[in-house]
Amino acid sequence: MRVVEVDGIYTEEADANMIYLTAAQRYSVLVTTNNETSANFAIVGSMDLDLFDVVPENLNPNVTGWLVYDEAAPLPTPAFTESFEPFDDFNLIPYDREPIFDAVDYSFNLDVKMDNLGDGANYAWFNNHTYVRPKVPTLYSALTSGNMATDAAIYGEHTIPFILEKNNVVEIVLNNMDAGKHPFHLHGHAFQTVVRSAEEAGVYVNNETFPEFPMRRDTVMARPNGNVVLRFRADNPGTISLPLLLPFISYLVSRTDPLTCATKGIWLFHCHIEWHVASGLVATMIESPLELQQQLSLAQSPYASPNASALAIPTSHVQACTQQGIPIAGNAAGNTKDLFNLNGENIPPAPLPAGFEAKGIVALVFSAVAAFAGMAVIGWYGLLEVQRGDKDKVVGL
């Protein structure tokens, strides 16, 4: 088969016998069929068991379909693979041959790890922060904060926000400090994949030779304890019609709240393993927020756009938030007067204690005392048996 498209980007044709698809990735392939119809052929899909925390005993990781030329002919037994040796999509060249963005305006790191918090649950982290949904959806914070919309602080540290200026070339250096594979997806953009390291390569150290025409797509797999470097131009503050953008992506990662509303110009970067999204492996890209205010408007409110041609947020969206008690103005904490005052914002559970807490120390002391008391009783009981045996011997004499 010949790969001709990935994630909506046409590519120069590339021959492949096996392709590896992560969650959210897409491929288009051309298959040249045989000029005779005497046999049928199996098409095999196999799950990567490395991505399972626990593999169910009865799981069949292989799915088979058949390309049937002759319904009277037998279906061949599929040849299941013991290991994955797929086509390397990193070597794909976009059909338009867009050259590498070599002048980066804004570069930042995202360091990935998994860890527990004080509630005992496992969480996912970017730069030692786990995503927590804000009280005010990020889109509404951007629309209702005036010139302060360009300050990342108002969106709260737990949304892991990054402000992207219009048409800047943005570079994301992602260091996967986890032993698992992670398919990372960016909303609103296709990025150039300029580096993707081997497994166990460690953090990125800027010693790579970049491709002249990098693969461009919107989802890429970071290998265990490896790194990727992605580049894109921040040229999409929101050109897609609003009705296509239900519901609010800021609320996609809520563990308990229903999905509501919409997003435009607020793009998430996240792992596409859904329980990692729920665990907080999400960062927020806030693109050209002042231009966004010119394009979208909370009509018939104090925050209506000064641009008369701005697209109005549908009333139904505002009502969906209102009915759930979700504020639609202010910073991440819902503060409309002092946008830098984040008191009351949603926060993650407290971290695990560095050592024993008081109740743990008390439990340890009582456990130790109980252990020593138990050993003393056992010893005392053993001595009684020895003494009783000696008396029996004396009586026998």
Side-chain angles (χ1 to χ4, degrees):
M1 58 186 167
R2 290 163 288 155
V3 177
V4 295
E5 175 267 334
V6 290
D7 298 355
I9 305 298
Y10 286 113
T11 70
E12 295 184 358
E13 289 190 12
D15 290 331
N17 293 320
M18 177 189 296
I19 56 176
Y20 186 105
L21 285 91
T22 73
Q25 284 188 332
R26 293 87 70 200
Y27 276 84
S28 293
V29 299
L30 298 178
V31 178
T32 302
T33 58
N34 292 333
N35 194 26
E36 51 90 19
T37 60
S38 62
N40 302 319
F41 298 88
I43 303 172
V44 179
S46 297
M47 300 181 192
D48 185 354
L49 299 183
D50 288 347
L51 292 170
F52 285 75
D53 292 331
V54 177
V55 180
E57 290 183 5
N58 298 324
L59 176 70
N60 176 11
N62 300 298
V63 179
T64 305
W66 283 270
L67 179 61
V68 177
Y69 285 95
D70 184 356
E71 292 185 354
L75 298 177
T77 301
F80 297 126
T81 181
E82 295 294 329
S83 61
F84 294 111
E85 297 179 1
F87 169 79
D88 188 356
D89 62 329
F90 184 80
N91 295 320
L92 287 171
I93 298 175
Y95 191 79
D96 61 9
R97 291 198 156 222
E98 178 184 78
I100 187 172
F101 295 136
D102 56 2
V104 174
D105 299 301
Y106 180 33
S107 178
F108 57 88
N109 284 22
L110 288 174
D111 296 337
V112 177
K113 72 172 185 178
M114 312 290 285
D115 205 351
N116 289 353
L117 284 175
D119 61 354
N122 188 252
Y123 290 83
W125 308 71
F126 275 138
N127 298 347
N128 293 317
H129 288 89
T130 185
Y131 182 97
V132 180
R133 63 172 183 83
K135 285 187 176 179
V136 177
T138 301
L139 174 64
Y140 286 164
S141 289
L143 292 178
T144 61
S145 54
N147 290 334
M148 302 301 295
T150 59
D151 195 316
I154 72 169
Y155 302 102
E157 63 178 318
H158 303 299
T159 63
I160 315 174
F162 296 89
I163 307 296
L164 311 183
E165 295 185 14
K166 184 177 180 180
N167 288 326
N168 271 4
V169 172
V170 180
E171 178 182 77
I172 300 175
V173 178
L174 186 139
N175 296 307
N176 180 19
M177 299 176 177
D178 181 58
K181 301 173 182 177
H182 294 276
F184 284 100
H185 173 66
L186 177 63
H187 290 233
H189 293 276
F191 46 70
Q192 296 181 342
T193 305
V194 300
V195 173
R196 184 178 62 194
S197 79
E199 188 172 333
E200 302 297 331
V203 301
Y204 176 64
V205 292
N206 196 23
N207 61 348
E208 304 285 342
T209 300
F210 299 142
E212 184 179 5
F213 307 109
M215 170 186 68
R216 200 164 74 249
R217 62 187 317 163
D218 61 32
T219 306
V220 65
M221 184 183 73
R223 292 173 172 144
N225 294 307
N227 61 77
V228 295
V229 179
L230 314 173
R231 293 178 183 175
F232 65 95
R233 188 177 297 281
D235 56 3
N236 185 16
T239 57
I240 303 174
S241 62
L242 192 62
L244 298 178
L245 290 167
L246 309 172
F248 260 126
I249 301 303
S250 288
Y251 277 71
L252 177 65
V253 295
S254 170
R255 295 186 173 194
T256 58
D257 292 337
L259 302 181
T260 60
C261 309
T263 185
K264 181 174 181 176
I266 311 298
W267 308 119
L268 292 192
F269 179 78
H270 63 95
C271 177
H272 225 292
I273 298 175
E274 295 307 314
W275 56 91
H276 290 174
V277 174
S279 297
L281 200 51
V282 180
T284 309
M285 308 295 149
I286 301 156
E287 185 169 339
S288 304
L290 298 184
E291 181 173 338
L292 183 61
Q293 293 173 4
Q294 297 296 313
Q295 294 187 9
L296 281 179
S297 177
L298 278 167
Q300 299 179 348
S301 81
Y303 306 100
S305 173
N307 180 10
S309 62
L311 182 65
I313 298 284
T315 304
S316 60
H317 290 205
V318 177
Q319 290 175 342
C321 291
T322 303
Q323 289 169 0
Q324 298 176 81
I326 299 171
I328 60 169
N331 63 12
N335 192 327
T336 58
K337 295 181 179 180
D338 181 359
L339 295 178
F340 292 116
N341 182 356
L342 291 165
N343 289 336
E345 71 173 322
N346 294 331
I347 61 175
L352 287 169
F356 284 109
E357 295 181 305
K359 60 183 179 181
I361 294 173
V362 171
L364 178 62
V365 170
F366 273 97
S367 297
V369 170
F372 282 115
M375 289 188 290
V377 169
I378 293 171
W380 172 74
Y381 185 80
L383 288 174
L384 286 180
E385 289 295 322
V386 171
Q387 291 173 359
R388 185 179 297 113
D390 290 342
K391 289 181 181 180
D392 291 342
K393 289 179 181 179
V394 172
V395 173
L397 291 173

